[in-house]
Amino acid sequence: MFDVDTYLRHLGYGGPTKATWQVLRDLHKRHLMTVPYDSTALRSMPASRSVSDVDLDKTFEQVVLGGGGGVCYELNGLFGRLLSHLGFEVSILRAAFRQANGSFGSDGDHVFNRVLLDGRVYLADVGFVGPSYLEPLELSEQTQHQYGCEYRVVTHGAYRLVERRARTGPWNAVYRFRPESAGIPEAGPDARDTLDASESVLAGTIFRSRAVATGQLILIGKRLLEVRDGHEKMRVLLDPAEYDDVVGSIVSGGRLGAADVSE
């Protein structure tokens, strides 16, 4: 059964619980560093693709009590419930991923949280494989700096684009969403989870990620993307022992350096 105190202990959080920016910021980053994205943990997906149909009590047992990972609708569903219990005003947004060819998938490929706080809207997303923001983003076209990376939320027709730029390279879209889609999404029959789409070129590929102090470790198949302080390094893990070590680091947090587990 969902329990706020147990959830906070799992995140290693013992601070204030009032609905403030600092609490939201701290919980968001702690969640990304504590609970991994793990597509192998994919559980039975509701036919409606709606967060409202996810059994969050069961997910809580598997993720928080069991120490497992999850995917977007599970992790953001849990985090949204936690924030709501703490007094934050939370609703769900639907998003479409940017594809390799520059186009976007279906609205509902991804779901994340919208938080209204002190008259400002923030995006809170603890269920995206990455690379992406470690702290909540304000819904603003102003450039926001986080750990060597830059982010902005720009208007693109009827949509807003979350864009990211590492220390080197251009701005790239992460995903797009309609700001008015706040609420519980009821995806149409064409909506799908890119990680679970049988027609996807990446079908069968395992996705895992975990945040570290200044970035993320993202493992897609055997390709490891390390993001640290805005610097990105991609390599293929050909050594089975090294691959297993990295999987352990992401899934269980094992063998991470001290700089990766504390501010």
Side-chain angles (χ1 to χ4, degrees):
M1 182 68 69
F2 187 93
D3 180 76
V4 170
D5 292 338
T6 301
Y7 203 154
L8 294 177
R9 283 196 299 271
H10 182 63
L11 299 181
Y13 183 78
T17 56
K18 187 177 180 180
T20 65
W21 160 246
Q22 184 57 47
V23 171
L24 176 63
R25 173 182 177 271
D26 197 355
L27 290 176
H28 192 278
K29 187 179 180 188
R30 282 178 179 272
H31 205 290
L32 285 167
M33 294 182 68
T34 304
V35 182
Y37 184 101
D38 186 359
S39 66
T40 67
L42 189 67
R43 299 163 186 96
S44 179
M45 187 176 295
S48 70
R49 307 305 307 277
S50 169
V51 173
S52 64
D53 290 336
V54 176
D55 186 340
L56 290 180
D57 288 327
K58 182 176 181 180
T59 303
F60 180 85
E61 293 178 3
Q62 296 167 320
V63 172
V64 176
L65 300 182
V71 296
C72 69
Y73 66 93
E74 298 170 316
L75 302 185
N76 281 319
L78 279 178
F79 191 57
R81 177 179 282 191
L82 174 65
L83 294 179
S84 294
H85 276 276
L86 295 180
F88 289 92
E89 186 175 336
V90 183
S91 54
I92 295 291
L93 291 173
R94 293 183 287 173
F97 293 118
R98 178 183 177 275
Q99 308 296 322
N101 63 4
S103 65
F104 289 89
S106 301
D107 293 349
D109 282 351
H110 182 58
V111 294
F112 62 105
N113 289 300
R114 172 189 184 271
V115 181
L116 179 60
L117 178 65
D118 298 330
R120 297 183 177 184
V121 175
Y122 295 93
L123 310 181
D125 191 348
V126 298
F128 183 63
V129 68
S132 189
Y133 44 99
L134 302 188
E135 300 175 0
L137 286 183
E138 185 175 354
L139 184 60
S140 168
E141 298 204 7
Q142 182 177 353
T143 299
Q144 301 169 62
H145 302 269
Q146 293 187 15
Y147 307 99
C149 296
E150 295 179 324
Y151 299 88
R152 63 189 182 188
V153 185
V154 301
T155 301
H156 185 73
Y159 290 91
R160 300 291 179 92
L161 298 182
V162 174
E163 294 187 326
R164 174 184 177 274
R165 181 167 65 182
R167 284 195 181 272
T168 59
W171 285 99
N172 288 304
V174 179
Y175 46 70
R176 74 179 186 184
F177 65 96
R178 294 179 184 268
E180 68 274 14
S181 69
I184 298 298
E186 297 294 345
D190 60 334
R192 66 193 191 285
D193 187 324
T194 5
L195 304 185
D196 192 43
S198 60
E199 70 273 21
S200 169
V201 295
L202 294 175
T205 301
I206 295 173
F207 293 73
R208 295 184 173 108
S209 72
R210 179 189 289 269
V212 293
T214 63
Q216 289 172 286
L217 302 176
I218 301 160
L219 188 62
I220 301 175
K222 293 191 175 182
R223 291 178 292 134
L224 174 65
L225 173 62
E226 298 180 72
V227 182
R228 299 179 188 271
D229 196 30
H231 299 284
E232 298 184 348
K233 181 173 69 173
M234 173 77 80
R235 58 196 178 97
V236 179
L237 304 179
L238 299 177
D239 181 356
E242 183 183 21
Y243 173 79
D244 290 342
D245 186 51
V246 170
V247 170
S249 295
I250 293 174
V251 173
S252 65
R255 302 189 186 183
L256 291 175
D260 291 330
V261 295
S262 62
E263 298 268 6

